[in-house]
Amino acid sequence: MAYGLVTWFTGLFPGYLPKIGGLWSAISAIVVTQATSSLDPKLSPGLNALLRFAESCIGTGVAVLAVLVWPGSRRQIE
């Protein structure tokens, strides 16, 4: 279901790769589902998903910041 929804959504933006987005979405859904039922059954699926989302956003933010401050990386972006 996650794959299908994201493939459709990403397909609305020309030039992007809907299948890659769908793949990442499916992987995320599997990881959250497995982590919820394997690690701590008391943790609600909603909170677990929110935590994984926050962790992904933080990781992405750190990566973007690293690219912006890394010597010589601005030439590749511009």
Side-chain angles (χ1 to χ4, degrees):
M1 187 156 115
Y3 178 84
L5 286 171
V6 170
T7 301
W8 169 80
F9 178 74
T10 308
L12 297 174
F13 302 91
Y16 290 97
L17 302 171
K19 291 181 180 179
I20 298 296
L23 177 65
W24 281 112
S25 179
I27 290 170
S28 297
I30 291 167
V31 168
V32 169
T33 303
Q34 287 180 341
T36 299
S37 61
S38 301
L39 296 178
D40 188 359
K42 295 177 285 185
L43 185 62
S44 74
L47 178 58
N48 191 33
L50 180 63
L51 290 172
R52 301 298 82 82
F53 176 73
E55 292 161 356
S56 297
C57 289
I58 291 168
T60 301
V62 169
V64 168
L65 182 62
V67 166
L68 291 175
V69 299
W70 198 266
S73 64
R74 286 193 174 263
R75 285 177 279 160
Q76 295 173 357
I77 296 172
E78 297 170 354

